[in-house]
């Protein structure tokens, strides 16, 4: 691929017609290059082969170039190749199909020239690949009030739709359908340039040394990529679930599959194993398609860390309606549960067997990671939204961060407690979780977490402060910078077998960040709340430890509580709150 196309580019370059022949990312030269990447993948990449080619419920039959596309209602089990489109809806109105005809599976669509430019470009790409069917969500899924039931069904099938597509077209640079997939640009700024090195002492029989120089090296590992498509919550699962993606960046064309990456600047595919991984060593897309089976099934699955990192990335993005938070990751949750060695129960964006760690999320007040919102678009409208306070979903309009579980769980390098002095004995017993939802992976009306635990009274300062000392940074990994200091009422604890009674201190990261919402719980200059301990871990210093858990306030009814933040309590390494604190059965909503 590299030799053939680089030689072609060199020929165009040297003849002076490169800019004329290749002025668009959708040029015939580029689409030929894309087809070469696609053909190479289908022939030589076992990992990328489709397990199924079943068609979605509806697809667009693009037909011949002279014909107008129609919407086709497929038959159960019908198989064929199709292309999917990943795009930003923007403020465009969806295309309205015509009336369904009795005994016909075909529905008329408006003339192609009336379609948004992005859709027209996608049709051209599918035709260039000689693939008859195209799937576009806001055409193939019924829209509006009449389409509510259809949307509930089809949204749960999205994991299969993107996984089974021959490839996905990613219109990365377009904020809405009017901008199109293709861009006009100078290929001289993206195509590799051939340089011949000729030595003055070389023999005439020795060919000159050829070097190829890329104008932008950052694009080799896709590090230079960013655009409106990567700013939207919905498109994260579309990217991670697609086996092959053809990216239309603003300046060039790029390709990725489960085996390799390539671009105009680096047309010869490079192994995806060499691509940068996330902080816990995951290649997100690969993990969604190639299950990771731990050596010991009793160990905590690495997919739980993957999920925490995934939610952090997800909450940096934008969506129009906050009520779509769970539907926008439903396909990822379904796929992850299938990848787990032992299937788990999904509860309001968290996993039942990893709930103790999952509950330890906090709002990142210092984050600058939120993607920009294109002009004219609304963001996280609260209309029709509800979620239990203990789930990160309740604060999904903010950037959310989790504690690094591999550090603070037993066996992690921050957790040096032994089995004989295990503070986890004082952690909660999760009795049950009840979720009010029409489907496991969809929108949640409310949810109740039933816990048997020891609650301590804490008093949280009304005014926040910033962490600045070295010890505080050690004590609380993944600190978000802004914290509300707190004290715990005098409690009995044992240190070196001596009974003591001291004032315990700590920090709280309030979820809402606005203490005015908690005015009914204020006493003087402090908020009266309760501490629910979840995990304990040691610090680098070894002399200090920390309990981490939740800050709760009591609701109107007895033993009913609402989460208001994440708490870290300072403890000596061998000092634990005595078990004379009574066990209580409480509900958190």
């Amino acid at each position: 691929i590299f030799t053939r196309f680089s030689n072609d580019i060199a020929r165009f370059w040297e003849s002076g017609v490169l800019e004329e022949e290749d002025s668009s990312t959708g040029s015939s030269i580029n689409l030929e290059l894309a087809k070469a990447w696609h053909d190479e993948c289908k022939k030589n990449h076992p990992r990328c082969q489709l397990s199924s080619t079943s068609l979605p419920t509806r697809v667009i039959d693009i037909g011949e170039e002279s014909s107008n596309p129609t919407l086709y209602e497929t038959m159960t089990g019908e198989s064929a190749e199709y292309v999917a489109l990943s795009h930003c809806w923007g403020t465009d109105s969806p295309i309205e199909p015509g009336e369904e005809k009795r005994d016909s599976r075909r529905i008329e669509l408006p003339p192609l020239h009336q379609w948004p430019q992005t859709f027209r470009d996608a049709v051209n790409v599918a035709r260039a690949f000689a693939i008859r069917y195209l799937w576009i969500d806001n055409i193939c899924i019924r829209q509006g009030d009449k389409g509510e039931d259809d949307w509930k069904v089809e949204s749960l099938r999205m994991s299969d739709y993107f996984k089974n597509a021959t490839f996905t077209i990613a219109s990365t640079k377009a904020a809405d359908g009017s901008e199109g997939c293709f861009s006009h640009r100078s290929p001289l700024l993206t195509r590799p340039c051939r340089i011949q090195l000729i030595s003055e002492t070389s023999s005439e029989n020795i060919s000159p040394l050829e070097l190829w120089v890329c104008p932008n090296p950052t694009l080799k590992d896709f590090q230079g990529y960013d655009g409106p498509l990567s700013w939207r919550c919905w498109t994260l699962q579309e990217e991670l679930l697609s086996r092959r993606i053809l990216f239309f960046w603003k300046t060039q064309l790029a390709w990725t599959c489960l085996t390799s990456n390539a671009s105009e600047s680096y047309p010869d595919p490079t192994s995806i194993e060499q691509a940068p991984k996330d902080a816990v060593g995951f290649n997100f897309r690969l993990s969604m398609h190639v299950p990771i089976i731990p050596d010991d099934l009793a160990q905590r699955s690495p997919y739980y860390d993957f999920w925490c990192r995934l939610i952090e990335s997800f909450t940096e993005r934008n969506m129009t309606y906050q009520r779509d938070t769970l539907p926008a990751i439903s396909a990822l949750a379904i796929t992850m549960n299938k990848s787990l060695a032992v299937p788990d129960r999904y509860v309001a964006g968290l996993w039942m067997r990893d709930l103790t760690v999952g509950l330890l999320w906090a709002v990142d007040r210092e984050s600058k990671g939120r993607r920009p919102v294109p002009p004219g678009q609304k963001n996280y409208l609260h209309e029709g939204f509800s979620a239990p306070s203990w789930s990160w979903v309740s604060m999904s309009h903010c950037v959310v961060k989790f504690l690094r579980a591999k550090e603070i769980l037993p066996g992690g390098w921050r957790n040096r407690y032994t089995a004989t002095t295990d503070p986890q004995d004082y952690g909660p017993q999760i009795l049950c979780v009840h979720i009010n939802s029409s489907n496991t992976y969809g929108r949640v009306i409310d949810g109740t977490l039933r816990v048997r635990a020891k609650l301590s009274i804490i008093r949280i300062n009304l005014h926040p402060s910033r962490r600045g000392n070295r010890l505080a940074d050690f004590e609380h990994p993944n600190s978000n910078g802004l914290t509300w200091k707190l004290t715990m009422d005098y409690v009995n604890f044992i240190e070196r077998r001596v009974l003591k009674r001291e004032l315990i201190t700590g920090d709280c990261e309030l979820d809402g960040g606005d203490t005015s919402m908690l005015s009914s719980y204020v006493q003087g200059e402090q908020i009266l709340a309760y501490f629910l301990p979840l995990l304990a871990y040691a610090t680098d210093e070894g002399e200090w430890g920390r309990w981490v858990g939740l800050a709760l306030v009591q609701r109107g009814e007895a033993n009913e509580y609402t989460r208001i933040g994440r708490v870290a309590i300072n403890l000596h390494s061998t000092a634990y709150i005595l078990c004379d604190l009574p066990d209580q059965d409480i509900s958190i909503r």
Side-chain angles (χ1 to χ4, degrees):
I1 293 175
F2 177 75
T3 302
R4 176 158 61 93
F5 279 94
S6 55
N7 285 338
D8 285 346
I9 293 305
R11 176 171 53 81
F12 280 122
W13 195 309
E14 290 157 7
S15 66
V17 297
L18 179 62
E19 287 193 279
E20 179 182 340
E21 297 288 333
D22 193 25
S23 62
S24 167
T25 54
S27 68
S28 58
I29 294 176
N30 255 359
L31 294 181
E32 285 299 318
L33 177 58
K35 285 192 282 186
W37 290 329
H38 173 255
D39 292 344
E40 170 74 10
C41 179
K42 290 186 71 173
K43 291 177 183 176
N44 299 316
H45 296 171
R47 181 191 287 170
C48 302
Q49 302 314 306
L50 303 177
S51 58
S52 171
T53 56
S54 297
L55 287 171
T57 303
R58 300 174 201 87
V59 288
I60 301 166
D61 185 348
I62 62 175
E64 301 295 331
E65 190 166 349
S66 58
S67 63
N68 196 65
T70 59
L71 187 62
Y72 174 53
E73 295 257 5
T74 63
M75 294 181 288
T76 302
E78 186 174 358
S79 296
E81 285 193 314
Y82 67 93
V83 176
L85 174 66
S86 179
H87 67 108
C88 291
W89 285 30
T91 55
D92 297 336
S93 299
I95 289 178
E96 293 290 342
E99 293 295 324
E100 297 185 36
K101 297 179 181 178
R102 175 177 277 186
D103 301 326
S104 174
R105 292 184 172 273
R106 298 193 178 276
I107 303 170
E108 295 297 325
L109 293 172
L112 186 59
H113 70 270
Q114 296 179 9
W115 291 23
Q117 187 62 51
T118 298
F119 295 2
R120 281 183 276 163
D121 290 346
V123 169
N124 289 335
V125 172
R127 283 174 172 166
F129 279 76
I131 295 176
R132 179 174 177 176
Y133 297 115
L134 174 65
W135 188 84
I136 301 176
D137 51 6
N138 54 351
I139 294 180
C140 298
I141 301 177
R142 293 191 177 104
Q143 303 298 310
D145 294 338
K146 295 181 180 179
E148 185 69 22
D149 291 339
D150 188 59
W151 183 87
K152 288 178 181 178
V153 173
E154 291 295 288
S155 64
L156 295 178
R157 296 174 177 171
M158 274 215 215
S159 58
D160 292 330
Y161 291 172
F162 282 96
K163 270 189 171 183
N164 295 338
T166 303
F167 65 90
T168 295
I169 300 168
S171 181
T172 61
K173 57 90 180 177
D176 57 41
S178 66
E179 296 184 33
C181 297
F182 309 149
S183 298
H184 289 281
R185 48 83 165 116
S186 171
L188 304 182
L189 300 177
T190 55
R191 295 290 193 177
C193 173
R194 181 169 67 180
I195 299 176
Q196 292 184 333
L197 300 181
I198 304 175
S199 172
E200 294 181 356
T201 59
S202 298
S203 167
E204 293 182 358
N205 297 325
I206 299 177
S207 300
L209 177 65
E210 287 190 348
L211 297 178
W212 292 88
V213 179
C214 175
N216 191 348
T218 62
L219 294 175
K220 182 174 183 180
D221 293 322
F222 285 24
Q223 297 304 292
Y225 158 66
D226 195 20
L229 195 69
S230 68
W231 304 342
R232 303 298 295 169
C233 288
W234 280 98
T235 60
L236 179 62
Q237 65 180 8
E238 298 171 6
E239 179 179 341
L240 296 184
L241 294 173
S242 298
R243 292 177 180 271
R244 308 180 183 104
I245 306 176
L246 183 60
F247 291 102
F248 285 91
W249 292 347
K250 189 172 184 178
T251 57
Q252 65 174 298
L253 192 69
W255 169 269
T256 187
C257 61
L258 301 181
T259 304
S260 61
N261 294 328
S263 64
E264 290 183 60
S265 296
Y266 290 87
D268 197 28
T270 57
S271 172
I272 200 171
E273 309 294 346
Q274 302 172 14
K277 298 178 176 60
D278 83 305
V280 292
F282 267 86
N283 181 306
F284 275 14
R285 284 186 59 246
L286 195 57
S287 303
M288 285 283 93
H289 297 270
V290 182
I292 300 172
I293 307 298
D295 296 332
D296 182 359
L297 294 183
Q299 293 179 346
R300 180 174 178 271
S301 171
Y303 277 99
Y304 293 128
D305 277 328
F306 162 83
W307 187 257
C308 292
R309 305 292 82 77
L310 186 72
I311 297 308
E312 291 176 354
S313 177
F314 178 83
T315 56
E316 291 178 351
R317 297 179 174 222
N318 301 302
M319 64 169 52
T320 303
Y321 294 101
Q322 193 173 1
R323 63 176 183 246
D324 288 339
T325 297
L326 287 173
I329 54 167
S330 59
L332 288 172
I334 291 169
T335 303
M336 176 174 148
N337 212 2
K338 291 177 181 178
S339 301
L340 289 169
V342 180
D344 201 352
R345 182 186 170 202
Y346 186 65
V347 287
L350 298 171
W351 299 95
M352 193 67 186
R353 284 206 304 273
D354 200 51
L355 201 54
T356 302
V357 174
L359 292 170
L360 290 172
W361 55 269
V363 173
D364 189 351
R365 299 287 165 204
E366 298 289 288
S367 175
K368 298 180 176 61
R370 177 71 77 188
R371 302 299 196 269
V373 181
Q377 293 190 17
K378 295 180 172 61
N379 204 34
Y380 284 100
L381 297 179
H382 203 68
E383 175 187 332
F385 173 74
S386 61
S389 66
W390 47 265
S391 170
W392 62 268
V393 178
S394 64
M395 297 300 296
S396 58
H397 57 289
C398 301
V399 177
V400 168
K401 299 294 180 185
F402 289 82
L403 292 181
R404 294 291 187 261
K406 66 178 182 179
E407 298 178 6
I408 65 172
L409 284 177
W413 65 267
R414 286 187 183 274
N415 196 321
R416 303 193 184 93
Y417 294 107
T418 65
T420 56
T421 58
D422 191 353
Q424 317 307 335
D425 292 342
Y426 299 94
Q429 178 186 353
I430 296 174
L431 302 176
C432 66
V433 179
H434 173 72
I435 300 296
N436 185 2
S437 175
S438 59
N439 71 69
T440 302
Y441 299 97
R443 294 171 184 162
V444 170
I445 299 172
D446 58 51
T448 302
L449 173 63
R450 292 276 297 160
V451 175
R452 179 169 296 153
K454 303 175 186 298
L455 296 185
S456 303
I457 294 175
I458 55 176
R459 302 179 188 277
I460 305 169
N461 291 350
L462 277 177
H463 306 291
S465 58
R466 293 184 180 276
R467 300 180 187 276
N469 64 76
R470 185 175 64 91
L471 182 58
D473 292 336
F474 277 129
E475 288 169 349
H476 202 180
N478 314 119
S479 167
N480 295 326
L482 201 60
T483 181
W484 284 258
K485 296 295 182 182
L486 64 86
T487 56
M488 181 186 291
D489 281 9
Y490 284 92
V491 295
N492 295 328
F493 67 89
I494 289 179
E495 182 185 1
R496 297 182 178 91
R497 300 184 179 179
V498 177
L499 184 65
K500 292 190 175 184
R501 184 174 175 82
E502 291 187 7
L503 190 69
I504 304 298
T505 61
D507 299 284
C508 178
E509 295 166 275
L510 290 177
D511 295 339
D514 183 3
T515 55
S516 64
M517 303 294 291
L518 303 169
S519 58
S520 58
Y521 304 101
V522 172
Q523 292 184 0
E525 290 294 310
Q526 295 178 316
I527 302 165
L528 181 65
Y530 296 86
F531 172 55
L532 171 65
L534 292 177
L535 285 173
Y537 64 89
T539 67
D540 298 348
E541 305 268 306
E543 292 299 320
W544 289 85
R546 281 209 143 190
W547 269 109
V548 283
L550 306 184
L552 308 175
V553 291
Q554 200 158 14
R555 296 166 65 97
E557 299 182 29
N559 293 327
E560 285 207 352
Y561 296 83
T562 297
R563 171 188 161 134
I564 61 169
R566 183 174 73 186
V567 168
I569 298 290
N570 300 318
L571 291 174
H572 290 285
S573 59
T574 57
Y576 313 125
I577 300 171
L578 276 182
C579 58
D580 58 2
L581 288 170
D583 283 322
Q584 303 178 51
D585 288 357
I586 66 170
S587 297
I588 309 171
R589 301 186 66 178

